[in-house]
Amino acid sequence: MIIVIQCKDQVGLVAYIAAILAKQQLNIISMREHVDHTENLFFMRVQVEDNDHEDAKLEQLLKRLLPEGAMVAVNPNPAKKVVVLVTKEYHCLADILIRNFFKTLGATVQCVIGNHATLQNVCERFDMPFYHIPHEGVSKEEFEQQIDAAVAKYSPDYVVLAKYMRIVPPSFVSKYPMRIVNIHHSFLPAFIGANPYRKAFERGVKLIGATAHFVSNELDEGPIITQQIVPVNHSFTVTDMVKAGQEVETSVLAQALKLVFEDRVFVSKNKTVIFS
């Protein structure tokens, strides 16, 4: 059983929470907490031995004790559902599908939606439903409505943008607040637009990397979940840099999804608190 708590900080919270769990005969396996002194906020993730305790009852017991406005979730969505959006690049999607197939993803992929049909064959190999919703020949509003409808049909807990090269509108973001995970190369904002690796190669960069973050209404400005970098040098061709970039993007997205699906990520304003 996982319990996550976010509330105003005050003296004795850890002791109070531990006492309630002990009274309910719940053995604590791990307990992580953090206090943001600037915002006076308390964050906690507790893992206890599951003894078929009633989640709603425990949640109410904790809320009665905690400061007003506390956010408490007991076993939040243990069987999480995910919809993946893609364009043409396969590397992140392939990793997600393999993890999903072997049940190591920590969630279940419901379907894949692409604005190009390029990756349909990959999905078919894993018996994964694929919806091709092209953006050509229709208005931006109509395209976005079709995407919205296709995603909504599955009522996902999270939406993953696995190199989905379209901007999601505010109306879509508002339906899944801090539940849309995106991955992008960490050249931004230095090499915006097409062919970032070509531009980076011509500039002679020495580090490339990737950032996974939650999507907000500010493009690529949402709360950061994970980041990684790898060194490159003069011997790297553009192709080498692209390959290295794809590998680090795949790794970063996989790490971010693991943290999110295990309820280890808390969002406070535009920052995250992560109990890794």
Side-chain angles (χ1 to χ4, degrees):
M1 178 187 290
I2 303 296
I3 305 165
V4 293
I5 298 169
Q6 183 173 337
C7 63
K8 290 294 184 182
D9 188 37
Q10 68 179 37
V11 174
L13 285 178
V14 174
Y16 296 154
I17 293 166
I20 284 183
L21 297 180
K23 190 172 182 179
Q24 298 299 312
Q25 298 297 304
L26 292 168
N27 184 41
I28 296 173
I29 299 172
S30 70
M31 177 183 284
R32 299 286 302 278
E33 67 276 346
H34 171 73
V35 175
D36 182 336
H37 294 286
T38 304
E39 301 293 335
N40 192 40
L41 288 175
F42 174 83
F43 305 87
M44 174 177 276
R45 180 185 186 274
V46 187
Q47 183 176 353
V48 300
E49 287 182 338
D50 189 355
N51 65 350
D52 297 322
H53 197 283
E54 188 178 338
D55 295 354
K57 178 183 176 182
L58 179 59
E59 189 173 311
Q60 289 303 314
L61 286 172
L62 289 166
K63 281 187 175 180
R64 278 190 217 132
L65 176 75
L66 296 170
E68 186 177 354
M71 291 182 287
V72 181
V74 178
N75 257 0
N77 301 322
K80 295 176 176 64
K81 300 187 296 182
V82 179
V83 167
V84 182
L85 271 58
V86 297
T87 295
K88 292 183 177 181
E89 296 186 65
Y90 69 88
H91 53 287
C92 289
L93 174 64
D95 184 72
I96 289 171
L97 291 179
I98 289 173
R99 293 175 189 272
N100 182 72
F101 180 82
F102 287 104
K103 303 186 185 307
T104 60
L105 184 64
T108 303
V109 179
Q110 304 298 298
C111 75
V112 177
I113 301 170
N115 60 314
H116 291 272
T118 308
L119 301 177
Q120 182 169 352
N121 179 259
V122 177
C123 293
E124 289 173 350
R125 290 168 182 250
F126 288 91
D127 294 323
M128 178 62 62
F130 181 89
Y131 297 88
H132 177 213
I133 303 178
H135 62 275
E136 299 98 339
V138 297
S139 68
K140 182 173 179 289
E141 292 74 20
E142 184 179 349
F143 169 72
E144 290 172 349
Q145 288 172 3
Q146 291 180 31
I147 293 288
D148 191 357
V151 173
K153 186 168 69 170
Y154 288 91
S155 301
D157 298 296
Y158 292 96
V159 177
V160 180
L161 308 185
K163 301 302 291 182
Y164 178 66
M165 308 307 289
R166 303 284 299 184
I167 296 173
V168 293
S171 59
F172 187 83
V173 175
S174 67
K175 292 181 179 180
Y176 308 97
M178 298 302 134
R179 291 160 55 201
I180 307 173
V181 180
N182 190 25
I183 181 75
H184 67 66
H185 63 82
S186 288
F187 292 139
L188 292 174
F191 305 109
I192 295 174
N195 301 313
Y197 289 99
R198 166 64 65 181
K199 294 174 183 176
F201 172 77
E202 293 171 351
R203 182 64 178 81
V205 301
K206 300 298 184 253
L207 291 171
I208 61 175
T211 296
H213 63 94
F214 289 115
V215 174
S216 66
N217 287 328
E218 300 297 324
L219 182 62
D220 295 327
E221 294 291 336
I224 294 171
I225 306 169
T226 53
Q227 293 178 298
Q228 290 181 25
I229 57 172
V230 293
V232 296
N233 58 43
H234 61 275
S235 69
F236 277 64
T237 65
V238 174
T239 301
D240 293 333
M241 293 181 71
V242 170
K243 182 179 180 181
Q246 290 176 339
E247 289 176 351
V248 75
E249 285 173 351
T250 301
S251 175
V252 167
L253 183 57
Q255 181 185 11
L257 295 180
K258 183 178 189 298
L259 293 170
V260 169
F261 296 157
E262 291 180 355
D263 302 298
R264 297 179 181 275
V265 182
F266 297 75
V267 176
S268 177
K269 292 189 175 180
N270 204 44
K271 294 174 63 178
T272 55
V273 172
I274 299 176
F275 295 128
S276 57

